[in-house]
Amino acid sequence: MPHTCNVTFKGNALAAFAFLLWGIMPLYFQMLTSADTNELQAFRITFSVPFMVLVFLTLGKQLPSIALLKADKRSVALCGLASVLMCVSWYSFTWAITHGQVLAASLGYFINPLFAIALGVLFLGDKLSKAQVLAGLLGTCGISYMIFSYGELPWLSLAMGGFFALYGLCKKFIRFDSITSVTLEAAILLPIALGYLIWLWSSDQSVALAGLFANQQDFDWKQLLIYMGTAPVTLMPLLFFALAISRTSLSMIGLMQYIEPSMHFLLAVLLFNEHFDQVKAVSFALIWTGLLLCSLEALPNLRQRRAENKAAGI
């Protein structure tokens, strides 16, 4: 019994820490506001591979063998699809937080659960509760109000939330463990990302690599390290999240996932002084209300499961 409580506490702590890291991520990318998003994405993918290899070595795990990959070609193909979906989501997120659009990033991850609910119904046969149906309607009203008021779709937010939800759906069908699948996702895109960086450097179009091997005295090593750092900065919360999954309930994970967009929202409004007008206020309020209803509905179920586990001594 104490062991179970300890595991749950560790899982909750790991999950909360993961979402906190995701939440403060815009602070790191404020050092890269003049960066080219394509180059930034290529750096993130390229240096994700050696970072993940280091994670394998640190944890004492074996790198995935060729035999393992051949034995499950379907999962390898799904990792390829997942890498593309995550690439689009991260590209949108990176562009947003380096171009003064942190509120758009916040909105994207607030509406992500609504996309996830819809995909669960369409592809996994999930049944919606009354709160989830109402949350979907309120979220749709919030987005519709924004479209009606601004006369355009919030493309950045929709791309972030939608493609990240598709990424989550894809991951449900991958049979590799989380660390292996994340490594494969980066490795599959590595040739394209590395090739793109080499082309940028050779054609003198790279910002981070400008002057490398040519003028060592004037070369900005600090800027290069910041570009390279986007890999561990974006992967660390993902690893903590993967560790949390097996140590706590999905219900608790679902409740804590709003830490990230809430922090994005606070950073955007209080620190980055982004414009928060009446239209955004109404849209966010509708979406928040729907998510609050889902959270309140989930709490009794969470308490019931805890009570059942306690009674069973699990």
Side-chain angles (χ1 to χ4, degrees):
M1 176 63 182
H3 174 71
T4 303
C5 292
N6 189 39
V7 168
T8 303
F9 173 78
K10 285 183 178 179
N12 293 342
L14 286 167
F17 188 59
F19 288 119
L20 283 171
L21 289 178
W22 269 317
I24 63 174
M25 200 174 294
L27 294 175
Y28 184 89
F29 281 87
Q30 289 305 301
M31 296 185 290
L32 294 161
T33 53
S34 61
D36 176 74
T37 309
N38 294 326
E39 184 175 13
L40 205 55
Q41 185 82 325
F43 262 95
R44 190 186 71 81
I45 294 169
T46 300
F47 287 93
S48 290
V49 175
F51 177 76
M52 291 307 299
V53 170
L54 183 62
V55 169
F56 269 97
L57 296 176
T58 303
L59 297 178
K61 293 171 61 71
Q62 286 189 338
L63 290 168
S65 63
I66 300 297
L68 174 68
L69 302 182
K70 284 184 176 180
D72 197 347
K73 295 178 181 177
R74 180 173 177 270
S75 289
V76 173
L78 286 171
C79 281
L81 176 59
S83 68
V84 174
L85 294 171
M86 177 55 85
C87 192
V88 175
S89 180
W90 269 112
Y91 188 93
S92 305
F93 175 75
T94 304
W95 193 94
I97 61 178
T98 55
H99 288 77
Q101 297 288 326
V102 180
L103 270 178
S106 174
L107 177 62
Y109 289 119
F110 269 125
I111 62 178
N112 167 254
L114 304 179
F115 278 112
I117 288 170
L119 291 175
V121 172
L122 290 173
F123 296 99
L124 302 176
D126 292 349
K127 302 297 182 183
L128 294 184
S129 65
K130 291 180 180 179
Q132 288 173 327
V133 172
L134 188 54
L137 291 174
L138 288 170
T140 303
C141 289
I143 298 298
S144 300
Y145 180 71
M146 193 175 289
I147 295 169
F148 176 77
S149 301
Y150 292 147
E152 60 181 10
L153 284 167
W155 289 111
L156 272 178
S157 303
L158 292 174
M160 272 180 277
F163 277 92
F164 193 72
L166 286 169
Y167 174 78
L169 175 66
C170 186
K171 295 282 279 186
K172 281 190 170 291
F173 298 98
I174 296 174
R175 289 186 283 264
F176 300 133
D177 64 83
S178 298
I179 297 178
T180 299
S181 62
V182 169
T183 305
L184 280 177
E185 289 161 26
I188 288 169
L189 293 178
L190 176 62
I192 299 172
L194 185 58
Y196 180 70
L197 288 180
I198 293 172
W199 176 77
L200 283 178
W201 171 73
S202 62
S203 59
D204 292 325
Q205 297 183 59
S206 173
V207 175
L209 300 173
L212 183 63
F213 305 129
N215 192 348
Q216 294 295 317
Q217 290 183 344
D218 296 333
F219 183 70
D220 193 345
W221 288 100
K222 180 181 177 181
Q223 179 174 250
L224 177 61
L225 289 174
I226 293 173
Y227 271 76
M228 293 167 59
T230 57
V233 162
T234 54
L235 287 173
M236 284 300 292
L238 192 62
L239 292 174
F240 280 111
F241 179 77
L243 292 171
I245 286 291
S246 61
R247 292 170 171 82
T248 188
S249 67
L250 288 177
S251 299
M252 184 59 71
I253 292 282
L255 292 175
M256 285 194 290
Q257 72 176 334
Y258 304 122
I259 293 173
E260 177 193 355
S262 298
M263 293 186 68
H264 291 169
F265 176 82
L266 292 174
L267 286 174
V269 176
L270 301 179
L271 188 62
F272 304 143
N273 297 316
E274 289 190 24
H275 182 56
F276 187 64
D277 57 19
Q278 182 182 352
V279 174
K280 290 188 178 75
V282 172
S283 298
F284 270 85
L286 288 168
I287 294 167
W288 285 335
T289 302
L291 296 177
L292 178 62
L293 290 174
C294 287
S295 299
L296 291 175
E297 182 187 55
L299 283 173
N301 293 332
L302 185 60
R303 294 195 189 99
Q304 183 179 352
R305 287 175 190 171
R306 282 182 173 177
E308 290 173 352
N309 290 339
K310 185 177 181 180
I314 298 176

